[in-house]
Amino acid sequence: MELAYYSDYAVRLVNSEDPARGKDTLTSVEAVRDLFGANQSAARRATESDVTRFRSVRARLRAVFEAADDGDETLAVDLLNSLLLEFPVSPQISGHDFRDDDGRPLWHMHLADHPSNATTGYAAIAAMGLAFHLTEYGVDRLGLCEAAPCRNAYLDTSTNRSRRYCSDRCATRANVAAYRARKRLEATRPESTGRTADSAQSATAHGER
């Protein structure tokens, strides 16, 4: 499993809350377990106590995205480093599940998961994955959706660093809003231009008298 995969852990956790709309799906131990995805062995360790702990880590991860989105690279790195120090990982070389044409293991880096509780394990994976993404692709590849009021986190993997929205749905919504705004502006221009022309003609007429 590539380390880049683990950065999705951070995105999933951050996006479990929608501050602008006052929504929060992280309200039960089942919601915590869902965040682990296919890693069900780690998910089974989650207890009710992890709900509060997960929310605390979520706030700190969102702060990393906010700093990156504001262009404050140093702050983003400092915040992420504090998470890495608090939640260290144990990298291991693994070859399970993946084989080449000759049946030999395809060796890859794997983050060993032996924490004292579910929050510790998840936070370590999320922070390490985000750190890998940041150092490999740049701080500006961490973003927050520009489709107001959505502020979901996303990782920009586009070739030209052009991503601005967390999903196709938000991109479409933003494009429709921009189109409607242009149409409203265009609708007011003829009326404004007409009034300007009438004013100019009136001023000319007064001047000739």
Side-chain angles (χ1 to χ4, degrees), residues 9-208:
Y9 275 61
V11 174
R12 288 203 298 270
L13 179 53
V14 170
N15 292 346
S16 65
E17 180 185 30
D18 188 345
R21 297 186 178 94
K23 295 181 179 179
D24 187 350
T25 62
L26 193 56
T27 58
S28 66
V29 65
E30 288 76 17
V32 169
R33 289 170 179 162
D34 286 343
L35 289 170
F36 283 91
N39 192 356
Q40 290 304 301
S41 60
R44 283 192 289 271
R45 285 198 302 268
T47 66
E48 291 293 340
S49 299
D50 285 300
V51 176
T52 301
R53 290 195 290 255
F54 262 66
R55 286 178 174 177
S56 176
V57 172
R58 179 179 64 188
R60 295 171 66 182
L61 286 171
R62 175 170 284 277
V64 175
F65 279 93
E66 289 174 343
D69 192 62
D70 290 339
D72 194 337
E73 295 189 22
T74 301
L75 178 58
V77 170
D78 287 345
L79 291 171
L80 193 49
N81 273 335
S82 68
L83 284 164
L84 291 170
L85 286 172
E86 185 173 344
F87 303 104
V89 297
S90 301
Q92 292 181 347
I93 299 174
S94 177
H96 62 82
D97 299 334
F98 301 97
R99 301 282 172 172
D100 62 17
D101 294 338
D102 296 324
R104 295 174 301 185
L106 293 176
W107 302 112
H108 57 277
M109 293 301 298
H110 177 79
L111 300 184
D113 189 19
H114 307 295
S116 57
N117 58 65
T119 304
T120 300
Y122 195 100
I125 290 173
M128 187 62 192
L130 202 56
F132 175 82
H133 194 94
L134 185 152
T135 54
E136 183 73 10
Y137 303 108
V139 176
D140 57 344
R141 293 289 188 146
L142 279 59
L144 292 173
C145 187
E146 293 184 14
C150 180
R151 294 294 283 168
N152 275 352
Y154 66 84
L155 299 171
D156 186 358
T157 56
S158 64
T159 56
N160 58 354
R161 300 172 184 264
S162 61
R163 185 170 179 179
R164 298 165 55 199
Y165 307 106
C166 68
S167 64
D168 291 339
R169 179 181 179 182
C170 274
T172 299
R173 183 160 54 84
N175 289 334
V176 169
Y179 172 79
R180 290 175 176 171
R182 286 196 302 270
K183 285 299 182 181
R184 286 194 298 269
L185 181 60
E186 291 171 1
T188 61
R189 281 175 179 170
E191 181 181 354
S192 177
T193 302
R195 284 200 298 266
T196 301
D198 291 343
S199 298
Q201 290 177 358
S202 177
T204 300
H206 285 297
E208 291 175 349

